[in-house]
Amino acid sequence: WQRLWGGMWRRAKASSGEEDEDAKALVPHINRPDKPWYILRADNPYKAVFDWIIVASVIWNLSFIPVDLAYQVEFGWIVYLNTIIDVLFWLDLTATFFTGYITKHADEIVDMR
């Protein structure tokens, strides 16, 4: 468990500016230009957690949609959960348009072009 999540949290901790010598070795130097307030950094730790929530939502949909189509059984809480997942997908789609990315030369691109 620690091998899986430990590296991710060390990298997130390093990108947030906290001093951790082990994490600095894991994260290469990234050229960071000034960015507008509405642009998310590519290595934002909150965005990484949100991406894992999206992965869990995709797994839920992969398992539930075939069952729903085959048996057409709708429970109250499942309808609400699917609505929440749909809203999360739309939020992820919108956030993707406002997230910077890192090139192979370690330059972060934060332009809206």
Side-chain angles (χ1 to χ4, degrees):
W1 177 260
Q2 187 176 7
R3 264 191 307 178
L4 176 66
W5 291 99
M8 183 179 88
W9 290 117
R10 279 196 306 271
R11 285 189 290 274
K13 190 175 175 184
S15 66
S16 67
E18 294 182 24
E19 295 297 323
D20 186 4
E21 294 302 321
D22 294 333
K24 284 184 180 178
L26 294 172
V27 179
H29 176 71
I30 299 171
N31 299 326
R32 295 183 178 276
D34 290 335
K35 67 175 188 68
W37 63 270
Y38 51 86
I39 299 291
L40 297 171
R41 295 271 184 210
D43 56 353
N44 187 328
Y46 297 112
K47 178 74 168 101
V49 171
F50 185 71
D51 288 342
W52 280 107
I53 293 171
I54 293 297
V55 168
S57 301
V58 167
I59 291 170
W60 169 262
N61 278 341
L62 284 173
S63 60
F64 179 74
I65 289 176
V67 172
D68 185 38
L69 290 175
Y71 300 110
Q72 297 180 355
V73 177
E74 292 193 17
F75 299 105
W77 65 274
I78 292 178
V79 173
Y80 293 124
L81 182 63
N82 285 335
T83 303
I84 291 170
I85 289 173
D86 290 341
V87 170
L88 286 175
F89 285 151
W90 281 104
L91 287 174
D92 183 52
L93 177 71
T94 305
T96 301
F97 287 110
F98 297 100
T99 302
Y101 64 94
I102 299 172
T103 66
K104 64 181 177 180
H105 302 292
D107 294 324
E108 186 173 25
I109 307 298
V110 293
D111 291 337
M112 290 295 292
R113 291 184 241 168

